[in-house]
Amino acid sequence: QVQLVESGGGLVQPGGSLSLSCAASGRTVSRYTVAWFRQAPGKEREFVAASKYSGGTVYYSDSVKGRFTYSRDSAKNTVYLQMTSLKPEDTAVYYCAADASLIVSSLRQAYQYDHWGQGTQVTVSS
């Protein structure tokens, strides 16, 4: 069983930066698909970024491409999301999710993931 714990959320001004971490335990996730999703109040959970395995291609949503950077540290069994040029519309609870076997066409779909963290709040406001 994989346990995921997100950290790093907080309040930041528009244009600012924030870095999120997703620490995995229970299993090594280097060969897992690990994704970041976010959910704003009253909205559906939205795909942010993912990769199928450590060192693999990273897929981003159009809304964050060029501003957010996804990375993994296999030695620490941790996945990161570096967020820059933040906008008020980036405000949401950010979740980390993992699954042992997803094809590329499925990794943007939240319901495909078996393991989820508790989420961390990101608020972008002046």
Side-chain angles (χ1 to χ4, degrees):
Q1 188 74 353
V2 175
Q3 292 82 42
L4 303 170
V5 178
E6 303 94 335
S7 61
L11 173 65
V12 63
Q13 292 186 342
S17 300
L18 211 56
S19 182
L20 305 183
S21 298
C22 170
S25 61
R27 293 278 179 91
T28 299
V29 296
S30 61
R31 302 300 295 180
Y32 276 59
T33 299
V34 180
W36 287 98
F37 286 83
R38 66 186 182 185
Q39 189 165 20
K43 295 189 176 182
E44 293 187 355
R45 198 161 293 191
E46 175 191 18
F47 171 79
V48 175
S51 71
K52 281 179 54 63
Y53 51 86
S54 185
T57 301
V58 179
Y59 302 87
Y60 294 96
S61 69
D62 288 342
S63 60
V64 307
K65 196 176 297 183
R67 299 188 299 121
F68 291 10
T69 302
Y70 172 110
S71 63
R72 298 201 195 200
D73 186 332
S74 294
K76 295 183 178 181
N77 213 26
T78 299
V79 178
Y80 303 96
L81 187 69
Q82 176 67 36
M83 306 184 293
T84 63
S85 302
L86 282 161
K87 306 174 182 179
E89 50 264 43
D90 294 318
T91 295
V93 177
Y94 283 71
Y95 296 93
C96 178
D99 196 273
S101 56
L102 288 184
I103 58 177
V104 171
S105 60
S106 298
L107 56 77
R108 297 172 187 266
Q109 300 165 336
Y111 72 89
Q112 299 278 4
Y113 290 81
D114 287 338
H115 310 285
W116 288 86
Q118 82 290 348
T120 185
Q121 176 70 47
V122 172
T123 302
V124 184
S125 175
S126 55

